[in-house]
Amino acid sequence: ETGVTQTPRHLVMGMTNKKSLKCEQHLGHNAMYWYKQSAKKPLELMFVYSLEERVENNSVPSRFSPECPNSSHLFLHLHTLQPEDSALYLCASSRGTEAGELFFGEGSRLTVL
Amino acid sequence: GQNIDQPTEMTATEGAIVQINCTYQTSGFNGLFWYQQHAGEAPTFLSYNVLDGLEEKGRFSSFLSRSKGYSYLLLKELQMKDSASYLCASMDSNYQLIWGAGTKLIIKP
């Protein structure tokens, strides 16, 4: 139990569907992150939020849309995805954006058909 | 460009010692991190080095040489539960973590 909870754990969707991934942290942290993890590749940082404000967007396609309504919750809205978007999506939190100790959720395994 | 290199896979025997190497090239440096990730689970923080030398934490130790852009994670008295992927990450001058692809460690009885 890392203090970061992600739902759903598994998601299968068609390319025309719209779905959302949810992340909640119970650690009182100020920064939250979305990462993409593909097999045998480094973690790819997608979005960073600090105190609910987006501070980093690493050239992520617009079919991925983040939302951070408060410092404890983070969403990733998905629409018209491609099969190559199939991956494990990890949420993480940290005390601040300069802290390298991240606390990860167990991830949402996404399969796009 | 920024780059982290670590072996893709290593195999070791229960009870033995294994060293996982990591070399890094980043724009600036604010520390070197190691994470452990069991299959199907979240990565968890293991260690942090910002100064040269060895940091020991139980059976696990981490070493850093900033002049060589090099770190290693040393695991002693290996147990079957140490079978996992080990992720090396360097923090650059913008406090962004640059990740390696991970080393899958297989422990055999």
Side-chain angles (χ1 to χ4, degrees), chain A residues 7-64:
Chain A
T7 55
R9 293 293 309 278
H10 300 273
L11 179 62
V12 180
M13 58 188 289
M15 290 191 285
T16 58
N17 292 159
K18 289 185 181 181
K19 298 285 184 182
S20 296
L21 306 181
K22 179 183 175 182
C23 176
E24 183 174 1
Q25 58 100 355
H26 310 275
L27 302 168
H29 287 164
N30 292 325
M32 295 188 77
Y33 309 77
W34 280 116
Y35 277 94
K36 177 182 179 182
Q37 187 174 39
S38 302
K40 299 184 180 181
K41 289 186 177 181
L43 287 174
E44 296 176 47
L45 179 64
M46 301 176 72
F47 301 103
V48 181
Y49 277 84
S50 176
L51 296 170
E52 303 143 47
E53 183 179 328
R54 189 193 305 182
V55 297
E56 190 82 40
N57 173 4
N58 282 5
S59 303
V60 178
S62 59
R63 56 186 184 269
F64 295 92

Side-chain angles (χ1 to χ4, degrees), chain A residues 6-11 21-22 34 87-91 106-110:
Chain A
Q6 288 187 245
T7 55
R9 293 293 309 278
H10 300 273
L11 179 62
L21 306 181
K22 179 183 175 182
W34 280 116
L88 182 67
Y89 289 84
L90 289 165
C91 174
E106 294 195 334
S108 295
R109 173 70 62 186
L110 173 66

Side-chain angles (χ1 to χ4, degrees), chain A residues 9 35 37 42 100-102 104-105, chain B residues 33 35 37 40 42-43 91 99:
Chain A
R9 293 293 309 278
Y35 277 94
Q37 187 174 39
E101 184 177 355
L102 304 183
F104 285 89
Chain B
F33 297 80
Y35 282 77
Q37 185 177 22
M91 180 170 271
W99 296 85

